[in-house]
């Protein structure tokens, strides 16, 4: 996506894509290095296209770009205007309440519990998936000998992304979550005094189980993006580190990790965006609760924004009721929007540094 | 897309029917005597019906609660009538099925509830829309498939358990929390009950099953279950699971779990099914006991051919040997106004569905046969469709 074509360690070949400074290029332009933006945006400073086909193509791609922006804006506006009447009629505090009564004349609903479950499950998924993904990316790019193992590990991880989320949901609910019970009992036995590990629901459908399945689901995207970034580490930097007598770990620490850091963070954020919005798998695994009081334990049940909306989508029979769910959807929209914006920002900042 | 899917389904149905027709000698019983008239025998107790197989196609859809029953009956019917095409899509859900019916995409709708006569929040009245779709003839709600609901549990060492409606309500509201509670022990003398915690499971998604179970509890234990019937579960104890399969899986994997689920899901998952003791001894869930309850509590409130039923769960609980917890699903049809060919297929298919052997055969799929008292009423409406 935003990572340029992988070029291995061979350095630039042919047309240099506008992306992170690659290899010798970064060194030979010290003057520009102070303000790399100039170098990156340089092509746009050329004289605008004058010939017909050029103009037409330029207009087409510009329109396409604006269309996407307009589309996102339209979705945001749709969510906002559908949610407003319900939010006005809401008698509970939208952000602090955990009630959800939308069937009757009086509307009282709040997203506190949804927000907690959504963020908690995504954060646990990140804590588990990111280190594993980084390790896999390093294995594939640095440790595994080029050839069969490297290809196979990459292939299998990419295959994880091809499994439909409903399959993850069924597997999680029927196979994986029950297997996790001993882990849960162990954690509760030693850490049960801490509210996060307190007693939760009786069945295996805990936030903990859902989070671990989410971790498996976001693993491929994080691995693929960090792998591509690590693979592009300039070979002269690696060779320099090796020449100074560095062990393989030192080479990784001094050359590979700093180079790929911003890409890794951005990849993690993209994974987070996916975890926040995952619907069907969470819906199938996680137990819901009718309790008004939020249970902070990772072994509690709950519903995420997405699973709550999906579970009730069959009953959207009145605009005011639908609006309540859309209001929840709006919060999710803004949450993922913020996460993606943050990942872009980190990526852009990292590019400037390198 | 949907055209393609329909074509595929039709093709599959055609293939299946050809395959089944080849061995139709083995299918359900049929008596030759009244084949010519196409109406059920008047003997009442064992109404056998042999389809007349009028040519044509009939499309229905809606309620998922009767999907299994319909797919079984449709397959049986197609085995006898290879040139008549009947389709039922049970993935749509009741509300969508009714909508597709009044928008003329379907010829009849399957639904967990009778078509509403009150305006919904956007002002549409289902019954009025159906009337318009049927060329200004009213639609009829015909109860045709009875689905028993099991109170299922997982408790090692306890194979027979009896619960009263009051105790069930107390469990769902979190007032009884352990299996050896005196209220449960009193109903189960001679059974050693463990002190295991009761883990309650219910449906997260809104469903007709939740509606009927809360209606049952509201009628039989009104002091504990104070909220009226609702499609989304209002019990305060326990945890919600997605869909019937989710509830059954949850109960199966949790020692001490208790919940409500359609009969078939409970038996398929090998769960314990509690007998209901309404004061005159425990009654186990059997097709027979449910039919008895329908006869005692399924009161027809529809008029002029409409056979909508209002369930008096108290009467069902009071009847001797009756298992009172069930839900009735309807076929919603035009009383008149469908084109002649479709009407012929509809009457033929519905009469087949209502015939005694077919109703009895649904027991294998987790349903209970309609009692004769109600079956004859519905059959008279089917006969009156013009």
């Amino acid at each position: 996506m935003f990572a340029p074509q992988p070029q291995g360690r061979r350095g630039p070949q042919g047309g240099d894509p506008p992306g992170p400074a690659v290899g010798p290029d970064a060194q030979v332009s010290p003057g520009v290095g102070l303000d790399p933006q100039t170098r990156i945006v340089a092509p746009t400073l050329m004289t605008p296209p004058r010939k017909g086909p050029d103009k037409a193509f330029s207009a087409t791609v510009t329109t396409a770009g604006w269309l996407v922006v307009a589309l996102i804006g339209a979705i945001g506006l749709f969510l906002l205007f559908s949610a407003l009447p319900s939010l006005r009629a809401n008698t509970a505090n939208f952000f602090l309440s955990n009630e959800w009564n939308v069937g009757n004349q009086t509307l009282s609903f709040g997203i506190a519990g949804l927000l907690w479950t959504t963020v908690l499950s995504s954060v646990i998924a990140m804590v588990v998936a990111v280190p594993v993904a980084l390790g896999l990316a390093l294995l594939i790019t640095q440790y595994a000998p080029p050839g069969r193992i490297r290809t196979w590990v990459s292939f299998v991880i990419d295959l994880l992304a091809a499994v439909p989320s409903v399959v993850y949901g069924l597997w999680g609910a029927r196979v994986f979550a029950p297997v996790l019970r001993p882990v849960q009992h162990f954690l509760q036995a030693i850490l049960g005094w801490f509210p996060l590990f307190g007693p939760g629901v009786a069945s295996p459908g805990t936030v903990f189980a859902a989070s671990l399945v989410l971790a498996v689901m976001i693993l491929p995207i994080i691995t693929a993006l960090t792998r591509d970034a690590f693979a592009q580490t300039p070979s002269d930097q690696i060779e320099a580190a090796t020449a100074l007598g560095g062990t393989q770990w030192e080479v990784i620490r001094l050359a590979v990790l700093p180079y790929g850091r911003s890409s890794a963070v951005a990849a993690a954020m993209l994974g987070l965006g996916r975890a926040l919005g995952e619907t069907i798998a969470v819906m199938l695994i996680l137990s819901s609760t009718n309790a008004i009081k939020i249970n902070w334990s990772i072994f509690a049940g709950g519903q995420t924004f997405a699973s709550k909306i999906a579970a009730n989508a069959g009953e959207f029979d009145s605009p005011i009721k639908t609006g309540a769910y859309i209001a929840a959807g709006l919060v999710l929209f803004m949450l993922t929007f913020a996460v993606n914006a943050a990942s872009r920002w980190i990526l852009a900042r990292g590019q400037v540094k390198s | 897309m949907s055209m393609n899917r329909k074509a595929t389904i039709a093709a599959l149905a055609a293939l299946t029917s050809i395959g089944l027709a080849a061995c139709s000698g083995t299918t359900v019983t049929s008596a030759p005597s009244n084949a010519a008239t196409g109406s059920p025998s008047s003997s009442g107790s064992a109404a056998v019906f042999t389809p007349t197989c009028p040519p044509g196609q009939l499309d229905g859809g809606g309620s998922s609660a009767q999907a299994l029953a319909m797919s079984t009956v449709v397959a049986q019917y197609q085995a006898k009538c290879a040139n008549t095409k009947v389709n039922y899509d049970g993935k749509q859900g009741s509300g969508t099925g009714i909508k597709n019916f009044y928008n003329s995409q379907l010829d009849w709708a399957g639904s967990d509830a009778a078509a509403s006569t009150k305006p919904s929040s956007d002002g549409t009245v289902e019954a009025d829309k159906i009337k318009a779709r049927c060329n200004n003839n009213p639609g009829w709600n015909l109860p045709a498939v009875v689905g028993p609901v099991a109170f299922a549990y997982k408790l090692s060492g306890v194979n027979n358990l009896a619960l009263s409606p009051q105790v069930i309500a107390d469990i769902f509201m979190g007032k009884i929390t352990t299996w050896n509670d005196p209220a449960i022990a009193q109903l189960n003398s001679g059974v050693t009950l463990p002190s295991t915690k009761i883990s309650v499971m219910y449906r997260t998604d809104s469903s007709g099953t939740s509606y009927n179970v809360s209606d049952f509890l509201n009628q039989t234990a009104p002091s504990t279950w104070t909220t009226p019937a609702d499609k989304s579960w209002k019990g305060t104890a326990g945890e919600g699971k997605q869909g019937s399969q989710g509830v059954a899986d949850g109960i199966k994997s949790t020692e001490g779990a208790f919940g409500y689920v359609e009969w078939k899901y409970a038996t398929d998952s090998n769960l314990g099914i509690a007998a209901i003791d309404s004061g005159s001894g425990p009654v186990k869930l059997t097709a027979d006991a449910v039919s008895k309850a329908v006869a005692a509590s399924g009161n027809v409130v529809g008029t002029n051919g409409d056979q909508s039923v209002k369930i008096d769960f108290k009467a069902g609980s009071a009847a001797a040997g009756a298992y009172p917890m069930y839900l009735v699903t309807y076929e919603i049809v035009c009383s008149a106004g469908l084109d002649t060919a479709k009407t012929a297929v509809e009457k033929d298919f519905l009469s087949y569905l209502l015939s005694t052997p077919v109703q009895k055969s649904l027991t294998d799929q987790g349903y209970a046969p309609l009692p004769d008292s109600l079956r004859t009423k519905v059959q008279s409406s089917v006969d009156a469709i013009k």
Side-chain angles (χ1 to χ4, degrees):
Chain A
M1 259 177 279
F2 45 75
Q5 288 94 34
Q7 295 177 347
R9 298 181 186 171
R10 292 185 302 272
Q13 300 175 327
D16 199 354
V22 184
D25 200 15
Q27 268 95 46
V28 293
S29 51
V32 186
L34 291 171
D35 184 12
Q37 286 298 333
T38 324
R39 192 178 58 80
I40 291 167
V41 296
T44 57
L45 292 181
M46 292 189 335
T47 47
R50 294 195 190 285
K51 292 197 173 141
D54 269 354
K55 272 187 186 164
F57 184 71
S58 162
T60 311
V61 292
T62 312
T63 316
W66 280 111
L67 207 63
V68 174
V69 175
L71 203 62
I72 293 289
I75 292 172
L77 285 178
F78 157 76
L79 290 174
L80 191 63
F81 284 114
S82 315
L84 271 181
S86 306
L87 286 173
R88 279 212 195 93
N90 188 7
T91 55
N93 186 315
F94 181 61
F95 289 104
L96 297 179
S97 163
N98 189 31
E99 293 169 78
W100 199 271
N101 298 312
V102 294
N104 316 323
Q105 272 69 36
T106 51
L107 245 62
S108 60
F109 59 95
I111 52 145
L114 299 178
L115 187 65
W116 169 254
T117 310
T118 307
V119 171
L120 179 67
S121 59
S122 301
V123 167
I124 299 174
M126 294 282 290
V127 167
V128 175
V130 169
V132 176
L134 285 184
L136 282 170
L138 288 177
L139 169 76
I140 295 166
T141 58
Q142 309 299 325
Y143 284 97
R148 204 165 280 174
I149 298 176
R150 189 178 284 197
T151 325
W152 272 103
V153 173
S154 301
F155 175 70
V156 170
I157 293 167
D158 288 346
L159 215 58
L160 281 180
V163 178
S165 47
V166 66
V167 174
Y168 276 117
L170 287 172
W171 170 74
R174 308 193 70 170
V175 181
F176 187 57
V179 170
L180 278 178
R181 316 272 331 246
V183 181
Q184 175 184 343
H185 293 149
F186 173 74
L187 283 173
Q188 279 180 320
I190 53 169
L191 293 166
W193 50 271
F194 192 58
L196 214 50
F197 298 94
V201 292
S203 83
T206 59
V207 173
F208 178 63
S211 306
L212 292 192
V213 173
L214 277 180
V216 179
M217 294 176 75
I218 61 174
L219 192 64
I221 189 173
I222 305 180
T223 310
L225 293 175
T226 39
R227 180 188 64 200
D228 287 353
F230 288 164
Q232 284 168 37
T233 314
S235 53
D236 53 353
Q237 291 189 10
I238 292 180
E239 280 155 17
T242 315
L244 288 169
T247 60
Q248 188 156 24
W249 166 243
E250 280 164 340
V251 170
I252 288 170
R253 195 164 55 87
L254 293 171
V256 180
L257 286 181
Y259 183 82
R261 191 179 54 206
S262 64
S263 297
V265 173
M269 298 295 253
L270 275 183
L272 178 60
R274 178 163 183 206
L276 288 170
E278 178 49 45
T279 307
I280 186 84
V282 176
M283 186 169 95
L284 289 173
I285 297 167
L286 202 51
S287 288
S288 64
T289 57
N290 279 357
I292 299 293
K293 197 170 168 292
I294 299 175
N295 185 341
W296 306 105
S297 171
I298 63 169
F299 302 115
Q303 282 182 293
T304 65
F305 287 114
S307 74
K308 175 100 186 171
I309 296 169
N312 294 284
E315 298 296 323
F316 288 176
D317 49 12
S318 73
I320 199 93
K321 187 175 179 183
T322 313
Y325 290 96
I326 289 183
L330 181 65
V331 178
L332 177 62
F333 178 76
M334 294 194 294
L335 196 64
T336 40
F337 200 85
V339 165
N340 277 311
S343 79
R344 294 273 150 174
W345 182 73
I346 290 169
L347 191 71
R349 212 181 52 146
Q351 274 179 352
V352 173
K353 251 190 211 158
S354 69
Chain B
M1 168 114 164
S2 80
M3 283 302 289
N4 269 336
R5 234 180 90 199
K6 268 200 177 141
T8 317
I9 292 169
L12 273 175
L15 277 174
T16 322
S17 59
I18 291 165
L20 286 171
C23 53
S24 63
T26 59
T27 44
V28 217
T29 57
S30 60
S33 59
N34 44 24
T37 59
S39 63
S41 77
S42 50
S43 66
S45 60
V48 182
F49 176 82
T50 306
T52 55
C53 304
Q57 181 173 344
L58 192 70
D59 295 311
S63 160
S64 54
Q66 56 170 289
L68 202 54
M70 286 316 250
S71 66
T72 312
V73 176
V74 165
Q76 287 175 4
Y77 182 79
Q78 296 280 235
K80 290 174 185 293
C81 301
N83 294 323
T84 314
K85 294 280 164 285
V86 178
N87 300 311
Y88 182 84
D89 176 7
K91 290 189 185 69
Q92 308 180 350
S94 301
T96 313
I98 291 176
K99 208 176 266 180
N100 287 338
F101 171 50
Y102 68 60
N103 288 329
S104 301
Q105 282 150 347
L106 295 176
D107 303 316
W108 98 90
S111 173
D112 295 349
S116 165
T117 51
K118 293 192 186 95
S120 71
S121 56
D122 59 347
T124 52
V125 181
E126 284 174 351
D128 291 353
K129 287 269 189 186
I130 292 170
K131 193 171 180 185
R133 185 251 192 267
C134 301
N135 293 328
N136 226 16
N137 298 296
W140 282 345
N141 303 292
L142 305 177
V145 178
V146 175
V149 180
F151 291 106
Y153 65 92
K154 166 94 183 281
L155 201 56
S156 339
V158 179
N159 297 322
N160 286 306
L161 185 73
L163 298 171
S164 68
Q166 181 61 47
V167 165
I168 293 170
D170 281 337
I171 293 175
F172 280 136
M173 294 309 282
K175 288 181 178 153
I176 293 179
T177 55
T178 53
W179 281 108
N180 60 356
D181 190 280
I184 302 178
Q186 198 191 341
L187 294 162
N188 295 279
S189 54
V191 179
T192 322
L193 293 163
S195 60
T196 318
K197 201 171 145 275
I198 303 179
S199 305
V200 172
M201 314 260 169
Y202 55 88
R203 290 278 290 271
T204 296
D205 49 331
S206 46
S207 77
T209 313
S210 294
Y211 182 92
N212 278 277
V213 174
S214 52
D215 197 11
F216 169 75
L217 295 173
N218 185 227
Q219 289 188 31
T220 53
S223 59
T224 308
W225 193 277
T226 49
T227 52
D230 198 318
K231 280 187 157 187
S232 50
W233 188 245
K234 295 295 177 200
T236 49
E239 56 191 286
K241 292 283 184 184
Q242 181 68 23
S244 303
Q245 192 60 54
V247 176
D249 287 347
I251 296 174
K252 196 179 181 184
S253 59
T254 310
E255 180 65 23
F258 178 76
Y260 60 91
V261 71
E262 290 87 340
W263 192 14
K264 174 88 173 150
Y265 288 92
T267 49
D268 280 1
S269 298
N270 288 320
L271 304 175
I273 298 174
I276 297 182
D277 185 345
S278 308
S280 44
V283 182
K284 283 194 174 171
L285 171 45
T286 61
D288 211 32
V290 173
S291 292
K292 272 186 192 160
V294 180
S297 59
N299 304 323
V300 173
V301 292
T303 49
N304 297 328
D306 180 52
Q307 305 286 353
S308 321
V309 163
K310 172 137 185 53
I311 305 175
D312 181 353
F313 284 112
K314 263 191 152 157
S317 305
Y323 179 92
M325 185 63 256
Y326 66 94
L327 61 92
V328 164
T329 66
Y330 296 89
E331 312 309 324
I332 302 179
V333 300
C334 288
S335 58
L338 225 55
D339 74 57
T340 337
K342 283 195 186 292
T343 306
V345 178
E346 185 168 82
K347 291 175 77 161
D348 197 51
F349 175 72
L350 289 179
S351 301
Y352 181 70
L353 168 64
L354 289 167
S355 63
T356 307
V358 173
Q359 285 283 324
K360 284 233 165 80
S361 74
L362 290 179
T363 309
D364 299 339
Q365 309 298 330
Y367 299 91
L370 279 176
D372 268 321
S373 52
L374 185 57
R375 198 189 58 75
T376 45
K377 278 183 196 162
V378 179
Q379 182 63 53
S380 68
S381 285
V382 170
D383 292 339
I385 294 174
K386 286 193 278 287

